Amino acid sequence: MVENKWQHFVPEFYFKFFSRDGKLINGFNLKNKKHFKGAISRHCAMNYFYSKNIEIEKQFSHIEGIFNVVLKKILQRGDFSDLTGKDYFEILRFLAFQYSRTEQSKKVAEDLTEKTFDKIIKPLMKADKELMKKISAPDLDKVKLTFPEGFLLSTIYSLESHILLADMAPVLLVNQTDKSFVFSDNPVVYYNLIYYRSRNDPIGGIQSPGLLVFCPLSPKYCILLYDPEYYGLKGEEKKILKVTDVLSA
C-alpha cells in the first residue's frame, strides 16, 4: 500500500476533539438520514484527494501537527490566555486552510474551471475562423477542460491568506446547554449576517465586511471571529461568551 495516498480533508486530530476514545466518531448521514459510528481514519478522506505527489500530503500532515498543538492549548485552558501572538496567527491559518481544503471547495474549484472554459474560452475559440476550419462547433462543444491543480493551488494559497482575518475579533463560545456543538465535513463556516439582512444574499468572502467565522473545537467550545466594525457582543468578558440557550431554527 502506498503511504500517504489516503488523504484527509478534515484532519484526524480534529475528529479526536469530538471522540470519546480517539478512534471512533458518532455521525449522521444527511442523505440517508441515519446515525452511524465509524473509525475516524475512514472519514473525510479519499485516495489522492490533493495529489498523487505524496510529498504534498506529508507537508500538510506536518502543518496539521502545528495546528493540533495550538488548538489543544485552547481546549486545555478553556480560553485564549496561553496563546502567544504566533499561536494566534496559527489559529487564523488553520481556519483559512481548513475552509479551503474540503470536498465542497474542490467541487467549487472544478466547477469554476469548467464554467470558465465553457462560457469564456469556447466562445473565443469559436470566434477564431482559422481554428474553426480545423474543428467543428459540435466537436468543440464536446471538449472538456480539467485542471486538478487549480484546487491544490487555492488550498496552498490559503496558508498565506490568514492575514486577511487578522482584523477580526476572536471570541471563544463556551457551550453550557444540554446540546453539544457538532461539526460537518465543512467544519469552518464563513457567514455574513449583514449582507443576508440587506440583500438576502449571504456573502462569505474572506475580505467581505461583516464576515463571521465559526469553527467548533469540541462539544463544549467553538471559535468565533467577528467583524467589530459591524457587530457588538453583549456579555463578552476576556474574549469568552457563554452559550446558555438553544435556539430553534
Side-chain angles (χ1 to χ4, degrees), residues 20-34:
R20 292 183 178 180
D21 61 3
K23 297 179 180 179
L24 300 175
I25 192 76
N26 292 308
F28 182 76
N29 189 311
L30 292 175
K31 291 183 178 181
N32 60 27
K33 309 297 182 183
K34 292 183 179 180

Side-chain angles (χ1 to χ4, degrees), residues 35-243:
H35 292 274
F36 65 87
K37 178 181 285 189
I40 288 173
S41 61
R42 302 308 302 168
H43 292 287
C44 293
M46 297 180 188
N47 284 333
Y48 302 118
F49 178 76
Y50 300 106
S51 173
K52 290 189 176 181
N53 181 351
I54 61 174
E55 290 301 319
I56 293 174
E57 172 64 12
K58 289 180 180 179
Q59 292 302 313
F60 283 178
S61 295
H62 172 72
I63 294 169
E64 288 172 0
I66 298 172
F67 295 155
N68 188 15
V69 171
V70 175
L71 293 175
K72 278 183 176 178
K73 287 186 179 182
I74 300 175
L75 296 177
Q76 289 166 357
R77 283 295 301 263
D79 56 38
F80 297 131
S81 62
D82 271 357
L83 300 182
T84 65
K86 182 178 180 181
D87 288 338
Y88 181 64
F89 273 93
E90 289 296 345
I91 291 174
L92 298 184
R93 197 158 70 119
F94 165 74
L95 295 173
F97 181 54
Q98 182 56 56
Y99 179 80
S100 73
R101 68 186 293 197
T102 64
E103 183 179 10
Q104 178 60 29
S105 295
K106 188 174 186 178
K107 290 179 180 178
V108 169
E110 291 172 347
D111 184 59
L112 178 61
T113 298
E114 181 178 342
K115 287 183 177 178
T116 299
F117 185 61
D118 287 344
K119 303 297 184 181
I120 299 177
I121 306 301
K122 281 185 180 179
L124 291 175
M125 295 173 71
K126 289 180 178 179
D128 187 328
K129 295 180 179 180
E130 292 300 317
L131 176 63
M132 296 311 295
K133 291 178 181 179
K134 303 174 183 179
I135 184 173
S136 67
D139 286 340
L140 180 58
D141 288 335
K142 296 176 183 178
V143 176
K144 300 295 182 182
L145 177 67
T146 61
F147 181 42
E149 289 78 9
F151 164 67
L152 182 58
L153 286 173
S154 65
T155 301
I156 293 173
Y157 290 154
S158 72
L159 290 168
E160 301 298 328
S161 66
H162 64 289
I163 192 66
L164 300 176
L165 296 172
D167 61 339
M168 301 185 71
V171 168
L172 187 65
L173 303 180
V174 181
N175 189 353
Q176 295 187 340
T177 74
D178 59 354
K179 304 293 184 181
S180 298
F181 288 142
V182 297
F183 72 98
S184 72
D185 53 358
N186 294 276
V188 177
V189 177
Y190 287 11
Y191 185 74
N192 198 316
L193 184 61
I194 298 300
Y195 276 91
Y196 181 79
R197 284 176 172 173
S198 62
R199 298 170 49 180
N200 198 29
D201 178 23
I203 297 175
I206 197 169
Q207 290 187 281
S208 299
L211 180 66
L212 295 165
V213 179
F214 297 88
C215 180
L217 291 186
S218 74
K220 184 177 180 180
Y221 298 111
C222 177
I223 291 177
L224 165 63
L225 302 182
Y226 68 95
D227 186 341
E229 295 294 323
Y230 286 82
Y231 307 105
L233 298 181
K234 294 181 180 179
E236 176 194 350
E237 295 180 4
K238 296 181 180 180
K239 299 180 180 179
I240 292 177
L241 192 63
K242 297 178 181 178
V243 180

